[in-house]
Amino acid sequence: IVKIAGRVVDENQTPLQFCNLKLGATTITSDVNGVFYFNDVSVNGSRAYVSATKNGYYSSGRGIMVKNGGAYSLEICLHKKITPYTLNGTSGGVVTTTNGCIIEFPAGCFVTQSGQPFSGMVNVYVKYLSTDDDKFALQYPGGDMAFKSSNGELFSSLGFGIMGLSIEDQSGGSLNLATGINATIKFPISSSQLGTAPISTLLMNYNEVLGVW
């Protein structure tokens, strides 16, 4: 049982109101100042994860180590989805961002949430976070840089940067990649990591439910 208070902001530290926040089975909404408060909420284990969502923003959240009866505070940063790149759902295509990210979508790769092929126009939203950014630690999804290994053990890692990617139809409905079809993702790493970066590394994905990579 824990108490957790906090605030939701955007990348410019502007408070975000009416965000949906979830801790365990409890869901609340941030107020006009972006502030929220979970009072006496039950969590599983020693790590609590608060997820945050808001229409028009990438989902995120922060995890912290907790003890029974403790009171904690945290801040969650949500990034706004800016002007999307547009692709034809049938032919696919390549998205190249101004900061060097490249996403290649093969033909016929998009499907709806129900798994049906999608042939309309596709909006692709892309957000890249470099480890060189002085706000990287505050904006990092999960917050505590928690990774889960294949055997279920948690460990901490900085990684080589983060790409947020959202694929939607023209009405804002979420789209997926068809089973068995992959998109190719390329993004730069920070200059400070070039000297120590391996030739290849694992591509980790963020679990928005558990708040771990």
Side-chain angles (χ1 to χ4, degrees), residues 2-206:
V2 298
K3 303 176 189 291
I4 298 181
R7 186 175 69 142
V8 186
V9 298
D10 65 12
E11 56 264 49
N12 299 311
Q13 290 291 294
T14 302
L16 294 177
Q17 61 180 336
F18 307 138
C19 297
N20 296 313
L21 298 119
K22 186 175 182 180
L23 172 61
T26 302
T27 301
I28 59 175
T29 304
S30 61
D31 67 16
V32 293
N33 297 308
V35 174
F36 63 88
Y37 179 60
F38 288 97
N39 183 37
D40 293 338
V41 175
S42 177
V43 298
N44 292 322
S46 59
R47 183 177 184 265
Y49 176 68
V50 178
S51 64
T53 60
K54 182 176 174 66
N55 188 38
Y57 289 78
Y58 294 95
S59 301
S60 191
R62 291 187 77 83
I64 53 174
M65 302 306 293
V66 297
K67 293 182 178 180
N68 187 42
Y72 306 88
S73 63
L74 52 80
E75 184 172 273
I76 300 173
C77 178
L78 297 185
H79 290 269
K80 188 175 180 63
K81 295 178 182 177
I82 57 175
T83 305
Y85 299 86
T86 303
L87 298 176
N88 182 285
T90 300
S91 59
V94 178
V95 170
T96 303
T97 70
T98 56
N99 51 19
C101 298
I102 301 173
I103 309 102
E104 301 172 359
F105 296 97
C109 69
F110 300 108
V111 296
T112 64
Q113 288 289 293
S114 61
Q116 297 302 309
F118 183 80
S119 59
M121 298 305 294
V122 177
N123 286 338
V124 180
Y125 296 89
V126 183
K127 177 66 179 182
Y128 171 67
L129 294 179
S130 170
T131 55
D132 278 345
D133 192 319
D134 58 0
K135 297 180 181 178
F136 181 78
L138 294 176
Q139 299 179 1
Y140 192 105
D144 54 357
M145 302 182 184
F147 286 69
K148 178 174 283 189
S149 66
S150 58
N151 60 9
E153 294 181 354
L154 290 178
F155 64 97
S156 181
S157 177
L158 177 63
F160 294 98
I162 298 172
M163 179 189 292
L165 188 63
S166 181
I167 309 169
E168 303 176 1
D169 61 26
Q170 295 296 294
S171 62
S174 296
L175 298 174
N176 295 323
L177 294 182
T179 301
I181 298 181
N182 298 320
T184 301
I185 298 176
K186 303 175 183 178
F187 62 88
I189 64 173
S190 67
S191 57
S192 63
Q193 294 179 307
L194 288 175
T196 58
I199 295 176
S200 63
T201 187
L202 295 175
L203 178 64
M204 309 293 287
N205 67 292
Y206 185 62

